[in-house]
Amino acid sequence: MLIRTPAELGAVLRDRRKKLKLDQSTFAKRIGVSRQWVIEVEHGHARAELGLILRALDALDIRLDASTEQAPARGATRQAIDINAIVAKARKKKA
Amino acid sequence: MLIRTPAELGAVLRDRRKKLKLDQSTFAKRIGVSRQWVIEVEHGHARAELGLILRALDALDIRLDASTEQAPARGATRQAIDINAIVAKARKKKA
DNA sequence: TTGATATGTCAGCGATCGATGACATTTCTC
DNA sequence: GAGAAATGTCATCGATCGCTGACATATCAA
């Protein structure tokens, strides 16, 4: 999941928390914050502390990856990397 | 790059900023924060605001991905995907 | 060195964080 | 529906945010 905004991050946290069958209280205790904090972050609170956010992600076994994005061609539909296409191309070259 | 802590995030931001030949002042202006903020975040400030962090990443064309992590086999060295190795293997197969 | 540029440090300030605790509302199981 | 559980809302409070502006160190070129 690509994270662009605090709201998207909040949605990811909520979805994952529910998938793990945790309620806000036990989740909050697990990461050492108040339930109030969980509520606000799940709702997309933009000014939440970075450190607490990272702890929350860790508590839910969510990994965060930072990578420099290739600029998509203008007007182009964003496309996923197609590993098979790359491999096929490589084979063709050889032949 | 896997992000676990504010310090790691700060390092990523700094490296990318330098790669783009930006100084702290112009970078700060670009994302709408003070130079002071840039300094602190690059040094791993844990209480930085999530929203500003996301804007900084966007300004540097860094994408953030959240994914549920597969537990690595015990004792296993974490290995990055090596696209070149995959392509090379495909070529070999063909030949 | 001198000068220019980049980065780091400090103090003061208004704004807002996150914690707490109580209460309200929604969402479930019976 | 009744009751319980989960979630959302509100006010208060100390602590700390990020901003400003000035000054202090690097860092590097001429």
Side-chain angles (χ1 to χ4, degrees):
Chain A
M1 176 69 185
L2 185 62
I3 303 296
R4 297 175 183 283
T5 67
E8 287 178 359
L9 195 280
V12 166
L13 287 173
R14 162 157 294 196
D15 288 353
R16 181 71 175 152
R17 173 177 65 78
K18 293 204 164 179
K19 216 160 250 169
L20 297 182
K21 306 289 185 191
L22 296 174
D23 62 40
Q24 294 175 342
S25 288
T26 60
F27 178 41
K29 276 174 198 159
R30 185 170 299 193
I31 61 184
V33 297
S34 66
R35 188 171 67 87
Q36 180 71 10
W37 184 88
V38 172
I39 291 170
E40 291 180 358
V41 167
E42 287 188 349
H43 286 187
H45 183 44
R47 305 197 53 184
E49 292 183 10
L50 173 61
L52 299 181
I53 292 292
L54 293 178
R55 264 158 58 189
L57 290 168
D58 184 62
L60 295 178
D61 284 326
I62 297 172
R63 45 176 288 168
L64 256 198
D65 259 286
S67 58
T68 71
E69 63 184 318
Q70 70 288 18
R74 274 171 308 166
T77 302
R78 179 176 293 280
Q79 47 181 303
I81 293 175
D82 185 345
I83 183 64
N84 292 320
I86 295 175
V87 170
K89 204 167 183 179
R91 287 189 173 157
K92 217 176 173 184
K93 252 189 187 168
K94 177 71 177 187
Chain B
M1 177 65 183
L2 184 62
I3 303 296
R4 297 176 184 283
T5 67
E8 287 177 0
L9 195 279
V12 166
L13 287 174
R14 161 157 293 194
D15 288 353
R16 180 71 175 151
R17 173 177 65 78
K18 293 205 164 177
K19 216 160 250 168
L20 296 182
K21 306 289 187 191
L22 296 174
D23 62 39
Q24 294 175 340
S25 289
T26 60
F27 177 40
K29 276 174 197 157
R30 186 170 298 193
I31 60 183
V33 298
S34 66
R35 189 171 66 88
Q36 180 72 10
W37 185 87
V38 172
I39 292 170
E40 292 181 358
V41 167
E42 287 189 350
H43 286 189
H45 183 44
R47 306 196 53 185
E49 292 183 12
L50 173 62
L52 299 181
I53 293 292
L54 293 179
R55 265 158 57 189
L57 290 167
D58 184 62
L60 295 178
D61 285 326
I62 297 172
R63 46 177 286 165
L64 255 199
D65 260 287
S67 59
T68 70
E69 63 185 321
Q70 68 290 18
R74 275 171 310 165
T77 303
R78 179 178 294 278
Q79 49 180 297
I81 294 175
D82 186 345
I83 182 65
N84 292 320
I86 295 173
V87 170
K89 205 168 183 180
R91 287 189 171 158
K92 217 175 175 185
K93 253 188 187 167
K94 177 72 178 186

